[in-house]
Amino acid sequence: MSTERAHAHTPSSVFDRFHGVIPAGGTGTRLWPLSRAAAPKFLHDLTGSGSTLIRATYDRLRPLCGDRIMVVTGKVHRRAVLKQLPEIKDSNLVLESEPKDSGAAIGLAAAILFKRDPDIIMGSFAADQVIAPAEVFQAAVREAIHTAAEGYIVTIGIRPTHPSTGFGYIRAGDPLLIEGAPSAHSVVEFVEKPSVGVAREYLDSGKYSWNAGMFVAPVALMLKHLEANEPLLYAGLTEIAEAWDTPSRVEVARRVWPSLPKTAIDYAVAEPAAAAGDVAMIPGDFSWDDVGDFAAIGRLNPAMENSELTVMGEGARVFSENASGIVVSDTKRVIALIGIDDVVIVDTPDALLVTTKEHAQEVKKAVEALRASGDIDVL
């Protein structure tokens, strides 16, 4: 049992300690050419809701923490993020000069919040996930906050709907019997992406959940495990955090950030913390999608009535006859589909993608090939 848990308590003001963190990184290579380095998927409306993914993420968190929300994103995305989230305070917009993976991004948020108040409980939720209904998600987060207040790093596990090989899994242990968190369980281990056969066994056992990378935790406990497992990363992030709310912020961040090691938060904190008995899980009974490819966009945007073709894009000009799949158009070009099934077509002014839903996960290979050949102007 952690020292933090031995002294933990859950005051009535536990929700006042909660701060949201939105890591907004990655380029979404499987969604190229719609998603690019300068305009990654979280800046797009991929569900037809009229709201971009990052805006929807922010709006889901507001009922839980008001304006106590921090966004961690690339410096190149500053203008676009501020346009979509004008409420964000300058001190809560953390800009990375270069990507350093989730360990540095979430770790820096934890370090800055700890410097401001060591009793803060943070909740980290990626900017590019689609979740519904929001009320069920918020109920799970409230349980997670109660559990975190007892001295746990809490992950929200997604109930698997099929034996996916594309996600990591979380194996749940015994119930924790925490007041305000009736669904809380201990976590036995995190498991890497499995084979189909193993994934099917996980699904049948009922003991495993998908790892969606959602964490709710006392910042002090997050940093304790980060220091133990990644001391160099911890030292650099602490140096930046010490200067964050001072005039030295830019100079220190510019000097220290490039030297930080790259690692995922799962390796730096979650997995070793689980081995130490410091991780809990709340099952999420909401629908969840990480919009990992164009097949996912097809799932999230059903075809119109009397059609098997999903069409996205303002003013898209598409004719179809005996065709199914998804078309995303950012041009006024006429696209005619005749006698073709499960097609994926993405038409932009400078790049055209044609594939099928079955091969949607392989789009990133095209991005890798273009980068290798020097055609970075379309990436």
Side-chain angles (χ1 to χ4, degrees):
M1 176 181 290
S2 71
T3 304
E4 287 82 357
R5 194 171 322 133
H7 301 289
H9 57 95
T10 311
S12 58
S13 61
V14 62
F15 296 118
D16 295 335
R17 295 164 54 193
F18 182 65
H19 289 241
V21 174
I22 303 176
T27 57
T29 53
R30 291 183 181 90
L31 291 176
W32 178 88
L34 185 63
S35 178
R36 308 197 187 193
K41 63 178 178 176
F42 61 81
L43 294 174
H44 296 271
D45 173 12
L46 300 181
T47 64
S49 67
S51 179
T52 64
L53 298 186
I54 191 172
R55 180 75 238 184
T57 303
Y58 187 93
D59 289 342
R60 277 195 300 273
L61 290 175
R62 283 181 69 181
L64 297 166
C65 48
D67 65 353
R68 301 189 305 275
I69 299 177
M70 179 177 287
V71 174
V72 186
T73 192
K75 189 173 292 185
V76 68
H77 307 312
R78 177 182 180 276
R79 182 175 297 178
V81 168
L82 286 175
K83 183 177 181 180
Q84 296 191 15
L85 304 177
E87 309 95 319
I88 287 286
K89 303 173 185 174
D90 176 70
S91 59
N92 284 339
L93 182 60
V94 179
L95 301 174
E96 304 172 315
S97 57
E98 59 184 281
K100 286 290 183 178
D101 215 327
S102 58
I106 297 172
L108 179 56
I112 292 170
L113 293 173
F114 179 82
K115 173 66 177 174
R116 293 173 180 172
D117 182 352
D119 290 329
I120 283 175
I121 293 171
M122 68 177 284
S124 175
F125 305 94
D128 57 2
Q129 299 180 351
V130 176
I131 290 169
E135 295 77 12
V136 178
F137 163 79
Q138 290 155 1
V141 175
R142 289 187 180 97
E143 284 201 48
I145 295 169
H146 279 295
T147 306
E150 293 296 321
Y152 288 96
I153 294 171
V154 188
T155 182
I156 297 179
I158 307 300
R159 293 192 189 278
T161 56
H162 60 279
S164 172
T165 60
F167 303 128
Y169 285 73
I170 305 164
R171 182 183 170 197
D174 297 328
L176 291 176
L177 306 177
I178 292 174
E179 185 176 353
S183 302
H185 282 70
S186 65
V187 167
V188 176
E189 64 176 340
F190 288 84
V191 185
E192 294 300 310
K193 298 174 183 178
S195 65
V196 176
V198 173
R200 192 170 288 115
E201 291 176 10
Y202 289 170
L203 186 66
D204 293 341
S205 76
K207 295 181 180 180
Y208 292 82
S209 298
W210 286 335
N211 178 11
M214 303 181 192
F215 295 101
V216 177
V219 289
L221 184 56
M222 288 282 285
L223 294 174
K224 170 191 168 185
H225 283 285
L226 185 64
E227 182 179 21
N229 298 292
E230 292 286 343
L232 293 178
L233 179 58
Y234 170 83
L237 296 177
T238 299
E239 185 176 358
I240 296 173
E242 290 286 339
W244 190 258
D245 292 320
T246 77
S248 302
R249 178 205 304 180
V250 173
E251 181 274 319
V252 173
R254 184 179 293 150
R255 173 171 50 81
V256 176
W257 186 264
S259 68
L260 298 177
K262 283 187 177 184
T263 185
I265 194 70
D266 296 74
Y267 303 137
V269 173
E271 293 181 9
D278 282 351
V279 179
M281 187 193 77
I282 302 294
D285 289 326
F286 44 84
S287 65
W288 171 87
D289 203 305
D290 70 343
V291 203
D293 58 28
F294 284 106
I297 292 182
R299 289 194 303 271
L300 295 167
N301 296 272
M304 296 182 65
E305 192 174 353
N306 301 321
S307 173
E308 294 183 64
L309 190 69
T310 295
V311 178
M312 297 180 64
E314 188 175 346
R317 304 166 69 191
V318 179
F319 168 81
S320 66
E321 184 73 34
N322 296 323
S324 64
I326 178 171
V327 175
V328 183
S329 177
D330 193 28
T331 75
K332 298 302 181 184
R333 190 183 355 255
V334 173
I335 299 172
L337 303 177
I338 302 171
I340 186 168
D341 294 325
D342 287 334
V343 69
V344 173
I345 293 180
V346 185
D347 187 26
T348 71
D350 62 351
L352 172 67
L353 169 72
V354 181
T355 184
T356 64
K357 287 184 177 180
E358 182 182 357
H359 295 92
Q361 282 278 319
E362 298 174 37
V363 171
K364 69 173 184 177
K365 293 181 180 178
V367 175
E368 292 166 357
L370 287 166
R371 182 174 290 113
S373 65
D375 293 309
I376 60 173
D377 60 304
V378 294
L379 302 182

